[in-house]
Amino acid sequence: MDSPHGAAVTAEGFGLKGPRGWAFRDVRIDAGPGALVAIEGPSGSGRTCLLLALTGRMRPSEGRAEVGGLRLPRQMAAVRRISALGPVPGVSEPDPALTVAEHLRERALLQRRFDGSLRALFRPRAERAATARARIDTALDAAGLDPTTLPKAERTSVRDLERLEALRLTVALALIGRPRLLAVDDTDLKLSDAERAEAWEMLRSVATDGTTVIAVCSQAPEGAITVRTHSAVTTDTTDTAETTDAPGATTTEEGAADAIAETGRA
């Protein structure tokens, strides 16, 4: 059963096939609300496709899955409404030319415009601004990003952020919408061992606070529910990869790329 906030994620025999092969196949997941789920595997092994399928942004080809009690693929739109993407290259990336402040203001405005009640739109401007600022501050705190430590504070451009700072910003932007499920791609990409530990500490804290987290990585941290993907030798195999906590996905680099092209990544 779901908590009031986090979304349970379950899958059985879950797979997605592109024109030339399987992006992933035979995935099983059983994660409760507020869990930290790590999709572990090499680049090109279908990790991103699985992440996007579990958030309702790519249509699976077989099997069943539920997110927060919503069935995939039947209720993909509803799953999108309760989930949010952190950094996903080519899908959800901050504009490098904009500043931290501009990104935060834009996300807060979009959140108020498309996700707020009609009554909220007619509240006094000062009250709306205070509410937006509170949401931003809460999200920044959860992501562990203190803008005052940046070179130009909130006026720092995204292109000038270090990799870990950029990761924290994109997570904060996603959390402004108070999602029940947070999805993060390439979590440990280009991070030192110390930075990788900080990144996982942040995501584990988000999960502890109640938001279910699914994160793509090359090496899963201890204590995470782990789904492993790996490239296969052929493009149409039914072999199942061995995993620690859940059977992983049989995947191919070509199959994953074709699946993305076939289904779209939005």
Side-chain angles (χ1 to χ4, degrees):
M1 180 179 293
D2 283 347
S3 69
H5 186 64
V9 179
T10 60
E12 188 72 38
F14 200 50
L16 188 152
K17 189 176 185 180
R20 289 187 290 175
W22 290 93
F24 60 85
R25 196 175 192 186
D26 201 24
V27 169
R28 178 175 62 83
I29 302 173
D30 186 4
L36 175 61
V37 181
I39 301 176
E40 178 187 277
S43 177
S45 64
R47 304 174 308 174
T48 300
C49 290
L50 178 54
L51 185 80
L52 295 175
L54 290 171
T55 56
R57 290 163 174 84
M58 293 187 76
R59 181 176 293 275
S61 304
E62 67 176 12
R64 65 169 185 82
E66 288 191 4
V67 178
L70 302 169
R71 298 185 63 181
L72 292 171
R74 182 183 303 174
Q75 296 174 287
M76 289 175 64
V79 171
R80 289 195 295 272
R81 286 193 292 271
I82 68 167
S83 63
L85 297 180
V88 180
V91 181
S92 174
E93 295 178 288
D95 187 328
L98 296 181
T99 67
V100 171
E102 288 169 336
H103 275 293
L104 293 169
R105 284 198 300 267
E106 179 186 53
R107 186 60 60 91
L109 286 171
L110 288 172
Q111 187 66 33
R112 187 177 70 198
R113 171 65 179 82
F114 295 107
D115 205 34
S117 66
L118 183 61
R119 178 179 297 179
L121 294 175
F122 292 97
R123 289 186 301 181
R125 178 178 298 180
E127 185 178 344
R128 296 199 307 268
T131 299
R133 188 67 243 181
R135 276 206 173 197
I136 289 172
D137 290 343
T138 299
L140 288 172
D141 183 62
L145 181 63
D146 181 0
T148 64
T149 65
L150 301 177
K152 297 181 181 179
E154 287 194 354
R155 295 183 294 108
T156 303
S157 297
V158 169
R159 65 165 60 95
D160 296 325
L161 296 176
E162 299 293 336
R163 163 63 181 159
L164 182 57
E165 293 170 341
L167 176 63
R168 291 186 187 278
L169 173 62
T170 52
V171 168
L173 293 172
L175 293 177
I176 286 175
R178 297 176 181 171
R180 297 177 62 193
L181 173 66
L182 169 67
V184 180
D185 198 13
D186 289 337
T187 302
D188 51 8
L189 180 67
K190 297 181 180 179
L191 294 180
S192 67
D193 289 345
E195 290 171 334
R196 186 178 296 115
E198 288 187 51
W200 285 117
E201 182 181 358
M202 168 190 63
L203 295 179
R204 188 173 283 108
S205 175
V206 171
T208 299
D209 286 342
T211 302
T212 304
V213 177
I214 302 179
V216 165
C217 61
S218 59
Q219 183 175 359
E222 292 186 8
I225 296 173
T226 305
V227 178
R228 292 193 175 95
T229 65
H230 62 80
S231 296
V233 175
T234 61
T235 59
D236 192 10
T237 176
T238 57
D239 293 340
T240 301
E242 294 183 359
T243 66
T244 300
D245 298 289
T250 297
T251 60
T252 70
E253 187 165 357
E254 284 187 348
D258 287 340
I260 290 173
E262 180 77 8
T263 62
R265 298 182 62 170

